[in-house]
Amino acid sequence: MFSKLFGSRKQPEQEPETYKDFAVYPAAQKDSDGFRLAARVEKQVGGDLKVHHLIRADILNTQEAANAAAVVKAKQLIDQMGDRLFEM
C-alpha cells in the first residue's frame, strides 16, 4: 500500500548478459533528468560469488538506453580490469 502512495516500487531485475564468464545485470536508476547508467557485474571466483556495482554519472533519456549503455560500459571495464574489478 505505501509503495503505491510514495511511488517506491522496485523495478524488475533485467536478465543478465554473459560476457567472458561475467554476468552483467543492467540496472538503470531513475533520476530527475532521466535514467542513470548502472549495472551489477558478477562472477564466480574460487567458489565465491564476486559482485561489483557500476554506477556512472551518465544520464540518458530512456531506461532502455541507459541499460544498453551500462552493458557496453561493463564490457569495457571487464576488458580493462578482468578479475581485478572485484578488488576495487
Side-chain angles (χ1 to χ4, degrees), residues 9 11 18 28 32 35 40-42 49 56 63-64 74 84:
R9 285 187 282 161
Q11 296 292 327
T18 303
S32 60
F35 290 87
R40 187 175 79 244
V41 181
E42 297 181 350
L49 180 64
R56 303 267 313 194
Q63 184 175 12
E64 294 80 15
R84 291 180 297 131

Side-chain angles (χ1 to χ4, degrees), residues 16-79:
E17 182 169 330
T18 303
Y19 182 71
K20 296 184 178 180
D21 296 328
F22 292 78
V24 178
Y25 292 84
Q29 298 177 352
K30 181 72 175 133
D31 190 270
S32 60
D33 296 327
F35 290 87
R36 185 172 305 281
L37 186 153
R40 187 175 79 244
V41 181
E42 297 181 350
K43 183 179 179 184
Q44 287 287 336
V45 178
D48 293 325
L49 180 64
K50 301 292 184 176
V51 179
H52 177 80
H53 294 277
L54 168 69
I55 301 174
R56 303 267 313 194
D58 308 29
I59 304 289
L60 290 98
N61 292 330
T62 67
Q63 184 175 12
E64 294 80 15
N67 282 336
V71 171
V72 170
K73 292 290 185 184
K75 288 179 178 181
Q76 289 175 340
L77 195 58
I78 291 166
D79 287 340

